[in-house]
Amino acid sequence: SLHDALPISRTRALSLWVSFAMENLVYNTAPGVGALQGQRETRQADELKAVLRDWAQMTEDAHKGFPAEWPTKAMSVVERMRRSMGGVVDSVQENLQGKAEYLGYGLCAVTPEKIPEKWSITLFSEELVRGGGCSFVLSSFLRKLDKAIRAQGGGANWQIISQGDPGATGWLEQTPDLMSVQAKTFDRPTILLANSLSGEEEVPPGVVGVITPDAPDVLAHISVRARNLKVMFATCFDSDEFEGLARFANKRVKCQLSGDKVTVEALAGGDEGGGKSGGGLLGALASAVGGVKIDLPPPTKFSKYALPEAAVDPEAHPKVHGAKTTNIVKSRRMLPAWIQTPRSAVVPFGVFEKVMSHADNKGVADEYKRLVDKELHAAGDPLKVLEKLKRCIKDLKAPSDMVAAVKQALVDSDIIQPGQLEGGDWDDAFLALKGVWASKWNDRAYYSCKKANIGVEFVQMAVLVQRLVEAEYAFVIHTVNPSNDDKDYMYAEVVVGLGETLVGNFPGRALGFTMRKDLSAPPEIQSLPSKSVALFGGGLIFRSDSNGEDLPGF
């Protein structure tokens, strides 16, 4: 019908104009080949060319017949295009703004009567982006094209990552990014309107909901934590709708879930001043946050430097390693031989403390104790002390008997061959192992422990060692759909290469789909891939296996 044809015609026209603007951006920003060409500029140029190649195909398909799957495919390319364009803008800002301010303010000091207004200095790179390279034009076209594609069925305006309670009620607060507030404790139920997030943040205490235009993987850390804590977490893809939510800032609102959409409404009696309130929901929240009581298993004393897989007893008490080693070894022994899993060895609890107490590490041990006992507790900015603690651990030297024991455990587990892991290879391996020990002082771990009233110094870290599977594709499957807790559906996400781009929330989306467990219907595609990076490689992987993992409520 004519009614159906008009939106398609508009989408076709927009796709063509986007193609022209994208081509112009490539010509303006892709560097030539030469000695001055930097690696970053080369990667950026390759990314722009890859997106242009894909979009040229989408434009051709749109004008040939507009196949039914076109909107879904187009949306994945548009997401990647928007991100690559953002990279160009960031590069211009990084390369030119500092120089513009240095020259501009320098001229101001020498010839104040001849220099333009100071705003022209602070906005120099922004105006350059608006006036050149077609990125501003492309951004305008993409905003319209995004709406047109979604109207054609290319994607919903919302993605519910965690349902919350379901939904959420609280005071709406705006924040540029989630990382900057992850250390904050909110004294009232708060719903954050966060412009950006990395996916690695910890949900701050007091937060009952997060709304963002970013689209983290369903399996990113922040996504998993939000579901575990029953915090509502949703992505709003419509930029106009997201920006419109700012009108609720400093108001008490109720977020309700309706299918795959979130509706936000202001509640009567929510004063805009946003003063502290007590009792009711706040009292319950404070009680819940303050009442979190997690008991870590008692510290395990040193037993051995390393255990090969055959020596791991999943039922042993006290535990000398975390749940990760237990579950991996258990499943390996239960599975049929035709299902292959990586072999494992573990550096158990107590080894870190044993190495720290060695005579060769006395200076490191004294500094480490001072940082933990004094400087960390007195620090106004704990992040700086955390960095010192991690650097301190990486200065540890390995006792010779530890080196021999770890190598032997890896040989006995068929992870390496005799004679391997010598010289510089061992140095690299030990640095990676120390990196796992040091990771208990990561900011996310620190704030997570603080929220649960656990002294992070009491966390013990075992290290699971495996040979990395050189994967062509990696996936994670939820046997219950995490977006709506529907037990009849499973949800899966797939990426090219190693799985770190998925669980580490690398920018872009994975191939995501749901499927009925009874196989009564074909899979339903939720997202097509739009990531720009795939990781490939082999070697050994050193994995954290602490006594604080997989504890109920933590």
Side-chain angles (χ1 to χ4, degrees), residues 88-112:
V88 171
V89 174
D90 292 344
S91 181
V92 170
Q93 173 82 21
E94 183 179 318
N95 289 334
L96 295 179
Q97 187 57 34
K99 298 176 180 68
E101 291 181 8
Y102 175 79
L103 291 171
Y105 290 128
L107 289 171
C108 259
V110 177
T111 57

Side-chain angles (χ1 to χ4, degrees), residues 213-254:
D214 269 357
D217 292 311
V218 173
L219 299 164
H221 173 79
I222 185 72
S223 306
V224 174
R225 289 293 283 158
R227 288 193 292 272
N228 287 346
L229 296 169
K230 297 201 178 300
V231 169
M232 188 204 75
F233 185 26
T235 295
C236 179
F237 294 109
D238 187 317
S239 55
D240 291 333
E241 186 173 359
F242 178 79
E243 290 167 8
L245 294 176
R247 69 186 185 276
F248 295 113
N250 299 319
K251 294 182 180 179
R252 190 164 175 263
V253 300
K254 183 174 185 178

Side-chain angles (χ1 to χ4, degrees), residues 479-502:
T479 52
V480 175
N481 187 346
S483 299
N484 55 17
D485 292 331
D486 190 336
K487 296 181 180 179
D488 294 329
Y489 280 83
M490 68 175 192
Y491 176 84
E493 288 183 327
V494 188
V495 294
V496 176
L498 302 174
E500 180 62 19
T501 58
L502 174 58

Side-chain angles (χ1 to χ4, degrees), residues 177-183 194 196-204 214 216 220-226 229 233 443-445 447-448 451 505:
D177 58 83
L178 197 58
M179 186 66 75
S180 62
V181 297
Q182 72 164 349
S196 67
L197 50 83
S198 71
E200 289 299 298
E201 299 89 346
E202 183 66 22
V203 180
D214 269 357
H221 173 79
I222 185 72
S223 306
V224 174
R225 289 293 283 158
L229 296 169
F233 185 26
D443 53 353
R444 192 180 78 203
Y447 290 122
S448 182
K451 184 162 62 174
N505 199 49

